[in-house]
Amino acid sequence: MPADSRYITATLTDLVRTKSINPAFADGDTSDERAIATRAGEMMRALGMETTEYEPEPGRVSVVGRLRGTGGGRSLMLYGHIDTVGITAMPEPFSATVRDGKLYGRGAYDMKGGVTACLATVKALRDAGASLRGDVLIACVADEEVASIGMAEVLRHVRADAAIVTEATELRVSLAHRGFSWIEVETLGLAAHGSRYDLGIDANMRMGRFLARLDKLEQELRARPRHALVGPPSLHAAVLRGGTGTSTYADHCRLEIERRTVPGETEAQVLSEIRAITDALAAEDPTFKANVRAMLTRGSFEVRRDAPIVNAILSAATTVLGKQPEIIGEPYWMDAALLSDVGIDTVVIGPVGAGAHALEEWVSLDSVVKLTDILTRAATEFCA
Ligand SMILES: [Zn+2]
């Protein structure tokens, strides 16, 4: 059941030309995921799928299609997000021009190429008259680029026995990614006239003490044993703000830390490492006062090597590519963590390309064809 490459080019062209900029990146323009979710839903129904839309906020539409199996088999969800980042200063965001086997446009690589492969997989199964016992689902979700309200809403209603996330991996198989916690640290001082050293407590100087220890922690993190697929944890002092005027002692100083986590690390653990620093500084100097709180945490993701979906993808990719695919982990966060958080075994494999979030973005059409062949084989084995 080979992939239909003409269907792939036509579908990807259609999706790239359908504007779906996440409102957070719309830059004064109006945009959301309604038009593309409608279009994807039409494409799914044309393939014999039943569709349901989810709209947790107006215009923020996700659509899930289901190709019903004959019953008694395992269900598989193919995943792609349908929002894109912005297009400011992009020369040809919606052209979908093809040159040298590369299709250009915003979202071609991140990740309408993956979405196209999901649709083309169901087309290949239908064309071949495959009769699977399990259901094959396609989840086209909104808002992955910002807060994942689309996938969060879908997972309130939909479950599957396994999932394949088709974010771009250059046809390598990703089995893990890092998570992150955003942590706020505030040091407290006492405002006073700049001449009154006897009254003022300098919150900025106290933040300096904290930052010196944080710098040590950062180096220590990277010396910890590396996770086999995603490397060591890390952190950076991302935003720093303190003081109101040159002639005033700063009464507070606020820092936002981004701490990147590896599989196995929890928010509580990460917070306690930061609090150990503020506690030690307070013990050394009673005028040192600080508050530490978590602003947002997104978990890491890792799937066990012996999960059936991992076997299905590895053997399908080996057949299609003619060699064992490279197994990797990703440094950045994706919706795979939300799937694994609710107990769905998930793997990530996506097409070849370049330019996610950049001025020129393209995806290799040949890689979308190969990805479709891999997904079709994996679905046939997993849902048999
Ligand atoms: Zn993406």
Side-chain angles (χ1 to χ4, degrees):
M1 45 190 89
D4 181 339
S5 59
R6 278 169 52 188
Y7 175 85
I8 285 171
T9 303
T11 301
L12 182 53
T13 299
D14 193 333
L15 293 176
V16 167
R17 286 180 181 166
T18 307
K19 183 173 74 172
S20 60
I21 301 168
N22 189 302
F25 299 102
D27 209 10
D29 196 0
T30 52
S31 177
D32 57 33
E33 296 93 345
R34 185 187 301 285
I36 196 160
T38 302
R39 194 71 197 97
E42 288 165 6
M43 292 170 173
M44 291 175 190
R45 288 189 295 278
L47 297 172
M49 304 183 92
E50 301 160 15
T51 58
T52 310
E53 288 190 354
Y54 301 94
E55 189 174 355
E57 289 174 19
R60 312 308 305 277
V61 186
S62 301
V63 58
V64 176
R66 182 184 296 271
L67 183 70
R68 283 218 181 267
T70 55
R74 292 183 294 207
S75 59
L76 175 64
M77 178 190 287
L78 307 175
Y79 162 101
H81 65 80
I82 48 178
D83 61 323
T84 71
V85 293
I87 55 167
T88 311
M90 256 186 117
E92 43 173 6
F94 304 118
S95 75
T97 308
V98 178
R99 288 191 296 270
D100 298 330
K102 300 168 177 176
L103 190 144
Y104 287 81
R106 175 55 84 225
Y109 180 55
D110 182 17
M111 59 169 290
K112 293 176 178 181
V115 170
T116 298
C118 297
L119 291 160
T121 295
V122 172
K123 170 122 190 342
L125 292 170
R126 293 263 300 175
D127 287 351
S131 157
L132 303 178
R133 289 191 299 146
D135 294 356
V136 177
L137 291 80
I138 299 178
C140 288
V141 308
D143 195 40
E144 190 275 346
E145 297 288 359
V146 177
S148 294
I149 61 169
M151 195 54 185
E153 181 66 16
V154 165
L155 288 174
R156 274 190 270 278
H157 304 276
V158 184
R159 282 292 183 276
D161 292 312
I164 302 173
V165 168
T166 57
E167 290 268 21
T169 64
E170 320 304 303
L171 295 175
R172 298 172 297 176
V173 176
S174 177
L175 301 182
H177 69 62
R178 299 207 291 175
F180 63 86
S181 284
W182 290 346
I183 299 164
E184 180 193 73
V185 177
E186 190 181 31
T187 51
L188 304 175
L190 189 63
H193 188 273
S195 65
R196 297 300 305 270
Y197 64 88
D198 52 327
L199 293 180
I201 297 176
D202 189 333
N204 287 345
M205 289 288 203
R206 277 153 187 77
M207 183 60 84
R209 296 179 201 170
F210 175 81
L211 283 169
R213 306 269 175 113
L214 189 69
D215 191 27
K216 288 213 175 69
L217 174 62
E218 194 277 330
Q219 290 163 35
E220 190 238 301
L221 288 181
R222 284 183 294 116
R224 285 183 192 177
R226 298 172 63 86
H227 182 275
L229 295 175
V230 301
S234 64
L235 66 80
H236 62 118
V239 179
L240 184 60
R241 209 158 281 140
T244 53
T246 312
S247 269
T248 306
Y249 274 78
D251 71 340
H252 78 274
C253 182
R254 188 175 169 277
L255 169 68
E256 289 177 15
I257 300 168
E258 185 179 69
R259 169 72 155 79
R260 294 279 169 167
T261 56
V262 300
E265 290 188 311
T266 64
E267 179 189 275
Q269 222 175 308
V270 161
L271 278 176
S272 80
E273 290 172 359
I274 301 293
R275 290 206 173 105
I277 297 177
T278 55
D279 289 351
L281 290 168
E284 290 166 18
D285 174 0
T287 70
F288 183 92
K289 290 196 171 60
N291 297 318
V292 175
R293 74 177 183 96
M295 299 159 61
L296 173 72
T297 292
R298 295 259 183 230
S300 55
F301 149 72
E302 184 169 32
V303 65
R304 56 197 171 86
R305 289 285 177 111
D306 61 350
I309 191 60
V310 174
N311 286 326
I313 272 290
L314 288 177
S315 74
T318 303
T319 304
V320 172
L321 303 174
K323 61 177 167 68
Q324 275 264 338
E326 193 184 339
I327 293 176
I328 59 164
E330 303 287 0
Y332 54 86
W333 191 86
M334 44 176 114
D335 277 351
L338 299 181
L339 286 155
S340 84
D341 283 351
V342 298
I344 299 175
D345 286 340
T346 300
V347 296
V348 185
I349 182 168
V352 175
H357 304 209
L359 287 183
E360 186 179 81
E361 178 173 354
W362 58 269
V363 70
S364 146
L365 286 167
D366 175 62
S367 77
V368 178
V369 171
K370 287 201 173 81
L371 176 62
T372 303
D373 286 336
I374 292 167
L375 298 179
T376 306
R377 282 177 177 273
T380 305
E381 179 184 330
F382 190 81
C383 305

